[in-house]
Amino acid sequence: EMCIRDRLLRAYFFEFMWTLQAEKKWGIPRDTIAKYCREGKIKSAEHDKAGSPWRISVDEPRPNYMGRKQKER
């Protein structure tokens, strides 16, 4: 198992993106992305402990998401 320093270095070298970067890339709210990470809907998501930021592979495909406006119609 990798230590935290090694994981941060991997993230630094752009193998991973944080939820904020995923929000900008996918156009999905950050809270929704975090929820999908917790639920296992984003397969590459990992974090060190509860409350720590989620790391998502930059190669992860965009999850299916229908915003509130589409759902209400």
Side-chain angles (χ1 to χ4, degrees):
E1 173 135 83
M2 276 193 277
C3 70
I4 293 172
R5 184 182 66 82
D6 290 341
R7 287 182 182 201
L8 290 173
L9 285 174
R10 278 180 55 196
Y12 179 77
F13 287 111
F14 306 107
E15 288 183 29
F16 290 99
M17 59 184 165
W18 310 108
T19 51
L20 180 61
Q21 293 165 309
E23 175 184 44
K24 291 177 182 176
K25 180 178 179 180
W26 294 334
I28 298 173
R30 196 164 90 184
D31 291 342
T32 302
I33 293 169
K35 178 183 171 215
Y36 288 175
C37 290
R38 285 192 304 274
E39 293 173 350
K41 292 181 180 178
I42 297 176
K43 303 294 181 207
S44 67
E46 58 181 49
H47 68 149
D48 296 315
K49 60 182 178 180
S52 69
W54 287 96
R55 293 181 302 278
I56 303 165
S57 170
V58 294
D59 299 326
E60 181 75 30
R62 183 185 189 275
N64 290 332
Y65 170 74
M66 252 192 332
R68 280 198 180 150
K69 290 181 182 176
Q70 287 87 10
K71 286 182 184 177
E72 291 173 356
R73 289 181 186 168

